Amino acid sequence: MLPEISTDVAIIGAGTAGLYALREVRRAGRSFVLIDHGPLGTTCARVGCMPSKVALHAAGLWHSRREMAAIGISGSEALQLDRATAWAELREQRDRFTASATNKARTAAGDQLIEGRARFVEPTLLEVETAQGSVRVRASAVVIATGSRPQLPAWLAPVAGRMVTTDELFELPDLPQRIGVLGLGAVGLEMGLALSRLGVQVTAAGGSNLAGIDDPQVAERAIKAFSEEMPLWLGPPASVEPLEQGVQLRSGERTTEVDLLLVALGRRPNTDDLNLADAGFTLGERGEPLFDPATLQLGKWPVFIAGDANGQRALMHEAADEGAIAGYNAARGLATRFRRKVPLAIAFSEPDVAAVGARLSQLDPSRIIVGSASGEANGRLRILGGERSLLNIYADVESGCLLGASLLCVGGEHLAHQLAWAIQRGETAQSLLQMPFYHPVVEELLATALQEIAKHFSTADGLPMGLVAED
């Protein structure tokens, strides 16, 4: 018989979702164990959000030297970049972020941290394999927050020795001269641009969609802008072939040789080793656990799944919310249904790409008004070289209520947040125009797009657009 631990809530995974679940369990005063096989530290800190932004920042600094001559700075052509040093500095910053996340997990769990690999025996009975031997954990409720790992399709096997994912990219001692990027979602776009701006010869291939943009006007501008920095092979699927000194990358009639492949084809949930089917859970066609997206509960069991593990909204802020939902329900024996926040996705590509709220493809064209504003007419963006910026806002045709937006914009991360807050608060174009807009600022792009919508609505009092009379 294996030793057995009894607890109120067992949380599998000490990443973002797991730690937010733990916060709610502690708030409820319930006993818990936190199980993780390591390495501790969130995906965001170790291989995702944070190191990628360090890379983009370093690349932006180096890339900016090209603008210096136009404003009278001479000698920039003599500047040199040691990419190995830049990459080492990235790792140092990454390690600080990771250490903080690791310490947070250890501090939050204390003696209730079990470092080992868990699998289900029954819906509320786990077996955990640790370095000291196996132990069983019997819990009143379980939270699955096991995160995700990069997708590696079988057709890449012949070039396995010459490819990396973002899990390995930041560990390279130096960057090769030629890199092929497979996948043009947000991660592929961001890292392709970062590497290109650091002087690596990048060729990026991946499907027919760039960074998930479904607004054709925004997509057209984005493709044109980023194609000037690296070839974007959109359309025919990519294929690879090993060469003696590298990899041949092909898409349709286009072909090139690269030294290394960066595979950014998405991530898959880490649930396949949890023994879910044998433990009695209902799985979908692809072996994924079925759950209620509002409660995060698996069937009738007191088991909840959060963050990347459920494969729904693989973003850090969504993992935090889902961890809190799962932890709240698990700690209280409830199946509370929560209203989710407005969807928000940003690629920090500079100009940034963002989608907020409802996508254009989800809306009935006859039921919306599109307010559009371009960077050519925005003074601040012209100064910043952001003339190609474009903001499209979708509003209800009857009320002017904001529904969603798509944008390509210098500093667009800030506009995206403003729009997300406005949509969640139920603002209309008319009401948002009552807020102050300074000049000259990028946010005037928002005002222009809102005015395009608001002009379709007449006010009974005939007051100027965006102004309110005193009582």
Side-chain angles (χ1 to χ4, degrees), residues 14 28 74 99 119 288:
S74 60
R119 61 190 290 274
E288 74 279 12

Side-chain angles (χ1 to χ4, degrees), residues 77 82 139 143 175 192 338 347-348 376 466:
E77 65 278 0
D82 184 332
V143 173
L175 296 172
F338 285 86
F348 295 81
E376 295 96 336

Side-chain angles (χ1 to χ4, degrees), residues 76-413:
S76 61
E77 65 278 0
L79 293 172
Q80 295 183 353
L81 171 68
D82 184 332
R83 287 200 298 253
T85 299
W87 224 236
E89 170 62 20
L90 178 153
R91 281 193 295 276
E92 283 192 22
Q93 291 199 47
R94 184 277 313 272
D95 290 346
R96 289 195 290 271
F97 287 119
T98 303
S100 175
T102 300
N103 290 338
K104 185 180 294 186
R106 291 194 182 280
T107 300
D111 294 338
Q112 306 310 309
L113 175 65
I114 302 176
E115 297 189 60
R117 193 173 297 274
R119 61 190 290 274
F120 282 87
V121 179
E122 300 170 2
T124 55
L125 179 62
L126 305 172
E127 187 171 309
V128 186
E129 182 182 347
T130 75
Q132 294 75 37
S134 294
V135 61
R136 287 195 165 186
V137 176
R138 188 174 296 278
S140 299
V142 179
V143 173
I144 301 171
T146 44
S148 62
R149 64 186 185 275
Q151 288 269 21
L152 287 173
W155 57 270
L156 290 173
V159 296
R162 290 194 175 273
M163 70 181 187
V164 295
T165 68
T166 50
D167 281 11
E168 300 92 29
L169 174 65
F170 305 117
E171 305 306 323
L172 295 177
D174 197 1
L175 296 172
Q177 188 55 40
R178 304 173 301 173
I179 288 183
V181 177
L182 285 179
L184 278 168
V187 173
L189 177 63
E190 287 183 355
M191 295 317 303
L193 289 170
L195 294 168
S196 178
R197 291 167 185 169
L198 287 169
V200 177
Q201 181 182 325
V202 175
T203 302
S208 58
N209 186 273
L210 178 64
I213 307 170
D214 78 342
D215 185 309
Q217 292 181 338
V218 176
E220 181 181 4
R221 289 211 183 191
I223 291 170
K224 186 174 181 180
F226 299 133
S227 291
E228 294 179 359
E229 299 196 55
M230 61 184 182
L232 299 177
W233 290 1
L234 295 165
S239 62
V240 296
E241 181 181 336
L243 301 174
E244 185 174 345
Q245 296 298 324
V247 177
Q248 184 177 63
L249 177 62
R250 183 185 301 276
S251 175
E253 299 300 316
R254 298 165 294 195
T255 183
T256 191
E257 293 183 13
V258 298
D259 304 311
L260 186 72
L261 283 175
L262 170 60
V263 182
L265 295 172
R267 299 181 69 88
R268 60 177 297 177
N270 290 328
T271 56
D272 40 353
D273 292 333
L274 293 177
N275 197 42
L276 294 172
D278 290 344
F281 294 103
T282 303
L283 306 183
E285 294 180 357
R286 299 187 302 275
E288 74 279 12
L290 300 181
F291 65 97
D292 184 330
T295 65
L296 305 182
Q297 184 175 10
L298 276 66
K300 64 181 180 179
W301 308 107
V303 179
F304 305 84
I305 187 166
D308 286 12
N310 66 36
Q312 297 299 300
R313 298 185 179 187
L315 296 166
M316 189 271 190
H317 68 282
E318 299 287 2
D321 284 350
E322 290 185 357
I325 291 169
Y328 179 92
N329 281 335
R332 292 166 174 79
L334 301 173
T336 306
R337 305 181 67 82
F338 285 86
R339 183 184 299 115
R340 300 302 298 271
K341 295 174 184 175
V342 166
L344 172 62
I346 303 172
F348 295 81
S349 41
E350 195 57 17
D352 297 336
V353 171
V356 187
R359 301 293 184 105
L360 182 60
S361 59
Q362 298 171 325
L363 299 170
D364 180 349
S366 68
R367 301 294 306 158
I368 62 171
I369 300 172
V370 179
S372 186
S374 180
E376 295 96 336
N378 182 284
R380 181 67 168 164
L381 285 169
R382 290 174 64 184
I383 293 169
L384 297 174
E387 292 91 340
R388 287 180 176 169
S389 299
L390 178 65
L391 168 63
N392 283 343
I393 302 176
Y394 321 128
D396 181 81
V397 70
E398 294 185 357
S399 66
C401 186
L402 304 184
L403 304 173
S406 180
L407 64 87
L408 170 78
C409 188
V410 172
E413 58 181 287

Side-chain angles (χ1 to χ4, degrees), residues 444-456:
E444 288 179 293
L445 198 71
L446 173 57
T448 301
L450 292 171
Q451 288 164 358
E452 283 289 303
I453 297 168
K455 71 182 182 182
H456 292 272

